[in-house]
Amino acid sequence: MLSDTRSAILTAAERLYAARGFADVTLRDIVAEANVNLAAVNYHFGSKDELITELFVSRSLATNRERLNELKAAEAAGGGRAPIDQVLRALVGPTLRGCLGPDEQRSDAARFMIRASVEAIAPIHKIRNREIDHLRKFAAAMRRSLASVDEVEIYWGLHFALAMAHQTIRDSERLQKLSEGRCDLDDVDGVIDRVVAVAATALGAAAKADKPAARRGR
Amino acid sequence: MLSDTRSAILTAAERLYAARGFADVTLRDIVAEANVNLAAVNYHFGSKDELITELFVSRSLATNRERLNELKAAEAAGGGRAPIDQVLRALVGPTLRGCLGPDEQRSDAARFMIRASVEAIAPIHKIRNREIDHLRKFAAAMRRSLASVDEVEIYWGLHFALAMAHQTIRDSERLQKLSEGRCDLDDVDGVIDRVVAVAATALGAAAKADKPAARRGR
DNA sequence: GATGGTTTCATACAAGTGTTTGAATTGCAA
DNA sequence: TTGCAATTCAAACACTTGTATGAAACCATC
């Protein structure tokens, strides 16, 4: 049976890290949010780093599971091979849905994971290699979907898709200001469509030529 | 005449922040790197935050100047209007060149700016609005280049171009591992070509339809 | 109801942080 | 050289951080 205090700490830490980042959230902030005693953190987790590690591992597994579920559903519907846009959608959809859109729909877990992937925090950096194994599954699905595309292009496409999704979450405020509100970031499905469309187009172009567009102007 | 100590502090801070991020670089680290006394920072800058602010403003102006120079050169050659790929190249080229490629070619300034744009550090967050004015100039150049493209698509294209460039810098290690070295990140011009090509393709597709590619699979 | 392990609590601790201080040192003009 | 402002320096300051301690409270089991 999991201690009540234990999960209260995890939830509070997740919420605070998601909202304010790792830099200026202290153990005292966390225990205040969780309404528990300061010493409870070290009692239940051993140290602050171990708390962060456990939180990251737990949320990382959950996110990966969600993405793989979407992927498997898409591939099952297509007889073991899903259209590239559905593969990409499974990759970027869960995180985008968890970070954008109406407040009540956002998840602290998704925003925590974004912070964790961006801020170079010591305990997380050591574990992050596991994410590569997870991404490899998507690279494999993309190759099944686009058999004629060179493997290198697959990696670049996957990388760019994640880049666009990630940065859209992180810099949504800047894009709003820059476009003076004309870019609608509350239309989460629209954003997902855009990211998927651009990445799929890039991969589609790669299917027709081994090299990207001709270089000019150097 | 600028004090020797003053610029030594700026240089040391830039190098350390570029290499290790803001989180775990202390004033004592900086003064050790600069070979000056601890109190020199507060004497010359007033506070740590003011040091960071001055550093960010200075490097930000330099980066923006470099990008605008490339843009103006391209537009001058085209009679006030540059091809979209050259506009995009002026936007992402300087930073990518300063952050990727051979060590001796990298600039602490470029890597410092990446850190500054990623890590939510208080003194910088207040100034970062100025970057929007700078990006607006590129949005305007893109509209001159692609008169038929809807304004919203311009913003999305600019945003995605920066996203791909940024993330490629930040996650170059992951991409290397994921692709087992098959994605050549030392070929800086090749990377720039890829980013520019994908962004330009996305904008080109937008020129043919008001909406991005049809939505599927919801 | 007593017992003993588990959990909570107030408090203290050592280490590290940015900042301040006041005395030394420097550099330059009179 | 003398005088004075600008700069450097070692030391200390006030504060915050994560962690450790030992007593108190809790709680199921006998």
Side-chain angles (χ1 to χ4, degrees):
Chain A
M1 177 65 184
L2 278 182
S3 154
D4 205 21
T5 302
R6 215 185 130 84
S7 61
I9 292 174
L10 282 171
T11 304
E14 177 181 52
R15 171 157 48 239
L16 290 181
Y17 284 141
R20 307 190 345 219
F22 291 91
D24 56 19
V25 172
T26 72
L27 283 189
R28 284 168 177 81
D29 294 332
I30 294 173
V31 298
E33 175 87 9
N35 277 312
V36 302
N37 187 271
L38 173 61
V41 173
N42 286 276
Y43 177 78
H44 284 283
F45 297 93
S47 70
K48 184 189 189 184
D49 278 8
E50 289 173 86
L51 162 63
I52 294 179
T53 299
E54 174 162 338
L55 191 54
F56 178 75
V57 169
S58 150
R59 287 359 181 205
S60 176
L61 291 175
T63 299
N64 292 353
R65 197 175 324 123
E66 192 179 352
R67 295 208 276 215
L68 283 177
N69 282 344
E70 278 198 33
L71 175 63
K72 281 175 185 167
E75 289 200 320
R81 190 183 323 185
I84 184 62
D85 64 294
Q86 287 188 28
V87 178
L88 292 171
R89 196 176 297 270
L91 181 66
V92 303
T95 303
L96 280 168
R97 275 194 298 274
C99 292
L100 297 178
D103 274 12
E104 68 274 11
Q105 184 183 306
R106 296 193 193 182
S107 78
D108 288 328
R111 299 194 295 160
F112 168 82
M113 288 302 292
I114 289 290
R115 297 279 196 186
S117 80
V118 158
E119 296 176 28
I121 208 71
I124 288 179
H125 198 266
K126 297 174 182 172
I127 326 173
R128 210 145 71 91
N129 284 338
R130 301 184 194 174
E131 198 192 358
I132 293 187
D133 292 328
H134 175 250
L135 292 182
R136 245 184 255 286
K137 296 175 186 167
F138 276 87
M142 290 168 70
R143 293 180 68 187
R144 283 193 290 275
S145 177
L146 299 172
S148 67
V149 173
D150 188 71
E151 192 178 356
V152 173
E153 305 302 323
I154 295 282
Y155 293 127
W156 278 108
L158 189 155
H159 168 72
F160 283 153
L162 283 176
M164 290 184 282
H166 247 107
Q167 189 96 335
T168 300
I169 291 165
R170 290 205 318 103
D171 266 344
S172 61
E173 191 190 357
R174 188 181 73 182
L175 181 55
Q176 292 270 24
K177 286 185 183 169
L178 176 65
S179 71
E180 288 167 331
R182 285 192 276 268
C183 292
D184 184 8
L185 288 164
D186 293 329
D187 174 17
V188 183
D189 287 319
V191 172
I192 296 177
D193 285 336
R194 281 183 183 278
V195 171
V196 168
V198 173
T201 303
L203 285 162
K208 291 165 192 151
D210 285 341
K211 298 283 177 184
R215 302 178 186 184
R216 283 172 289 176
R218 296 231 198 95
Chain B
M1 176 63 185
L2 278 182
S3 153
D4 205 21
T5 302
R6 214 184 131 83
S7 61
I9 291 174
L10 282 170
T11 305
E14 177 180 52
R15 171 159 45 241
L16 290 182
Y17 284 139
R20 297 172 15 200
F22 292 91
D24 57 20
V25 171
T26 71
L27 284 188
R28 285 168 176 81
D29 293 333
I30 294 173
V31 299
E33 175 87 9
N35 275 313
V36 303
N37 186 272
L38 173 60
V41 172
N42 287 276
Y43 178 79
H44 284 283
F45 297 91
S47 69
K48 185 190 188 185
D49 277 8
E50 290 175 86
L51 162 63
I52 294 179
T53 299
E54 173 161 340
L55 190 54
F56 178 74
V57 170
S58 150
R59 287 359 182 208
S60 176
L61 290 175
T63 300
N64 291 353
R65 198 176 323 125
E66 192 179 353
R67 295 208 276 213
L68 283 177
N69 282 344
E70 277 197 35
L71 175 62
K72 282 176 184 166
E75 289 201 321
R81 189 182 324 183
I84 184 62
D85 64 293
Q86 287 187 27
V87 178
L88 291 171
R89 195 176 297 271
L91 181 67
V92 302
T95 303
L96 279 168
R97 276 194 297 275
C99 292
L100 297 178
D103 274 12
E104 68 275 11
Q105 183 184 306
R106 296 192 192 182
S107 78
D108 288 327
R111 299 194 294 159
F112 168 82
M113 288 301 294
I114 290 291
R115 296 278 197 187
S117 79
V118 158
E119 295 176 27
I121 208 71
I124 288 180
H125 199 267
K126 298 175 183 173
I127 326 173
R128 210 145 71 90
N129 285 338
R130 301 184 194 175
E131 199 192 357
I132 294 187
D133 293 328
H134 176 251
L135 292 183
R136 248 185 254 285
K137 296 175 186 168
F138 275 86
M142 290 167 70
R143 292 179 68 186
R144 283 193 290 276
S145 178
L146 299 172
S148 68
V149 174
D150 188 71
E151 193 178 355
V152 174
E153 305 303 323
I154 295 283
Y155 294 127
W156 278 107
L158 189 155
H159 168 72
F160 283 153
L162 282 175
M164 290 185 281
H166 248 105
Q167 190 97 332
T168 301
I169 290 165
R170 290 204 317 102
D171 266 344
S172 62
E173 191 190 358
R174 187 181 73 181
L175 182 55
Q176 291 270 23
K177 285 185 185 169
L178 177 64
S179 71
E180 288 168 329
R182 284 193 275 268
C183 291
D184 184 8
L185 288 164
D186 294 329
D187 175 17
V188 183
D189 287 318
V191 173
I192 295 176
D193 286 336
R194 280 183 185 279
V195 171
V196 168
V198 173
T201 303
L203 284 162
K208 291 165 193 149
D210 284 342
K211 298 283 176 184
R215 304 179 183 182
R216 283 172 291 176
R218 292 226 202 100

